[in-house]
Amino acid sequence: MSSRHEQLVAIAAELAADFASRAAEHDRDNSFPAENVQKMKDAGYTALLIPEKNGGLGGDLEDFALCQEQLAQGCAATTIAINMHLFGLGSMVERATGRPEESFFFDAIGRAKQILGGGISEPETGGDWGHFATRARRDGATYILNGHKTFTSLSPVIDLFMVMATIEDSNPISAATFVVPRGTPGLELIETWDAMGMRATASHDLVIKDVRVPTIAMAEQRPVGPVNEHAISLFSWFGISVAATYTGIAIAALKFTKEFADRLKPFAMPRPIKYLPGVQFAIAEAEALIAQSRALYLGVARDYIHDRASFKGEAGLARVVMPKYVATNNAIRAVDYCMEVVGAHGMLKKFPMERYFRDVRAGVNHPLSNARARELLGKVAMGIGLAESPRW
């Protein structure tokens, strides 16, 4: 690990240690850890991927993965919530062309410490991105937005909402991302989040009713359908960071499990349970699953950094979707092995294992979901185009 990696991971580790002291409380109360967000701002973590010239830490995709993996070991909910702020920024910085408005925007994140939030998932479309039910209609020098977004993580502290919408009457059909400041008339947050896991993310619903924004609020427009560089960039930053976050949960669970197995000595046994073959085998399986995941997503991150041009089309998309698919599923399996070792103690609220067990299950639901990922990976492997019809 380079000295820069070490410096950034050290920031994440210090934050994680602090967040861990409150993670159980926020999980139990279903409360949002606003203090964690403030501490991330103070440490510069909310600007992890912003260039140093704009007040950020200048991290790259590998830094992002390593830091999120570390942060998740303290509080998974805080980590996945801030992921929804950071991944889009990473893609924007990567694709920046040097325009003055880009620097102004990066300054808002790096120096003014503003928080970016997503309006992506919808009740009609689920978590897989593409043709959005939310609509944007051109009206002179403005656009009028209407729609309903779900899973708006970080909602209590978002300063700028990134709303993805389909452009009405566009030909060919296109979508765009709009930057909508908090407090814009027609934006309404509805507190709906009360979930099994990742409870402290405050991933509430966002209702968008006749929200009028100037044309300059459109950050970018792109055709719906073809896999282009924009889609691959977004999924690179999203998929690899999500893979690292859920692997971080598995690492935390495994660490707890090893400590637990080292200190638990049943009355009838001469030594702690770590000497039981079944315990050793379960630990070995969890270790192997985590190692597989880390090798894959860190390897793909390095490949993407050093040879981004090789990630093209549907095959390129499959390369960045694979780490998320593998790591989130491996993380669930690894935590299940850990729960097997800890046993009934893992169900008790006084231990973090039951929170790890619940939180880690959210991973497979992020885009691309298991079913959609398998379809993409399978079709690319067999040379079948995603747009080929009939689909089945």
Side-chain angles (χ1 to χ4, degrees), residues 41 77 114 167 180 211 231 242 252 266 313 319 332 354 368:
K41 288 183 178 182
Q114 292 196 321
I167 306 298
V180 185
V211 171
V242 166
R319 286 175 68 188
I332 290 173
E354 62 88 28
L368 290 178

Side-chain angles (χ1 to χ4, degrees), residues 134-145:
T134 299
R135 291 290 190 268
R137 175 171 59 84
R138 183 71 180 261
D139 184 26
T142 65
Y143 278 95
I144 301 173
L145 311 179

Side-chain angles (χ1 to χ4, degrees), residues 8-24:
L8 295 178
V9 171
I11 293 172
E14 184 175 350
L15 289 168
D18 178 60
F19 295 172
S21 67
R22 295 180 295 275

Side-chain angles (χ1 to χ4, degrees), residues 56-328:
L57 298 181
D60 61 22
L61 183 55
E62 186 178 3
D63 295 322
F64 188 24
L66 290 168
C67 288
Q68 288 293 89
E69 177 187 281
Q70 184 66 57
L71 195 67
Q73 295 174 52
C75 179
T78 297
T79 305
I80 200 63
I82 204 63
N83 205 83
M84 304 314 175
H85 159 82
L86 287 169
F87 88 88
L89 292 174
S91 179
M92 291 178 195
V93 170
E94 171 193 299
R95 294 179 292 109
T97 58
R99 292 174 295 161
E101 54 266 37
E102 290 171 340
S103 184
F104 176 79
F105 180 77
F106 296 151
D107 279 343
I109 307 299
R111 302 190 193 282
K113 303 184 186 301
Q114 292 196 321
I115 297 294
L116 201 62
I120 301 174
S121 299
E122 301 169 325
E124 300 91 343
T125 60
D128 293 320
W129 306 341
H131 193 158
F132 298 101
T134 299
R135 291 290 190 268
R137 175 171 59 84
R138 183 71 180 261
D139 184 26
T142 65
Y143 278 95
I144 301 173
L145 311 179
N146 280 281
H148 184 172
K149 300 291 186 176
T150 55
F151 305 117
T152 312
S153 301
L154 288 173
S155 58
V157 295
I158 292 173
D159 299 300
L160 301 169
F161 290 90
M162 303 293 283
V163 177
M164 294 186 178
T166 300
I167 306 298
E168 290 188 0
D169 301 323
S170 56
N171 188 20
I173 297 175
S174 63
T177 301
F178 294 87
V179 181
V180 185
R182 191 182 194 91
T184 300
L187 279 184
E188 181 185 6
L189 279 168
I190 301 177
E191 295 190 3
T192 54
W193 188 249
D194 188 8
M196 179 182 77
M198 293 297 188
R199 288 172 57 76
T201 60
S203 301
H204 300 308
D205 285 15
L206 177 67
V207 175
I208 306 155
K209 185 175 181 180
D210 294 331
V211 171
R212 188 178 291 269
V213 295
T215 54
I216 197 174
M218 181 191 288
E220 53 198 352
Q221 185 172 351
R222 57 204 172 275
V224 171
V227 175
N228 56 19
E229 292 180 359
H230 171 85
I232 292 173
S233 175
L234 276 176
F235 272 102
S236 297
W237 289 88
F238 183 77
I240 289 171
S241 58
V242 166
T245 296
Y246 286 90
T247 300
I249 301 173
I251 291 171
L254 182 56
K255 180 180 178 181
F256 173 82
T257 301
K258 289 190 285 189
E259 293 170 349
F260 183 87
D262 188 48
R263 69 175 183 266
L264 180 64
K265 189 186 85 64
F267 178 74
M269 291 178 58
R271 295 191 292 183
I273 65 169
K274 72 176 185 179
Y275 290 98
L276 292 171
V279 168
Q280 295 166 10
F281 296 167
I283 294 293
E285 291 284 359
E287 291 273 9
L289 289 164
I290 291 170
Q292 291 165 17
S293 297
R294 295 192 79 243
L296 180 58
Y297 63 71
L298 291 175
V300 173
R302 293 179 192 122
D303 289 346
Y304 188 79
I305 291 168
H306 297 300
D307 189 15
R308 193 184 312 156
S310 69
F311 289 76
K312 292 182 178 179
E314 293 173 2
L317 181 62
R319 286 175 68 188
V320 297
V321 165
M322 178 76 82
K324 183 266 176 185
Y325 172 74
V326 169
T328 54

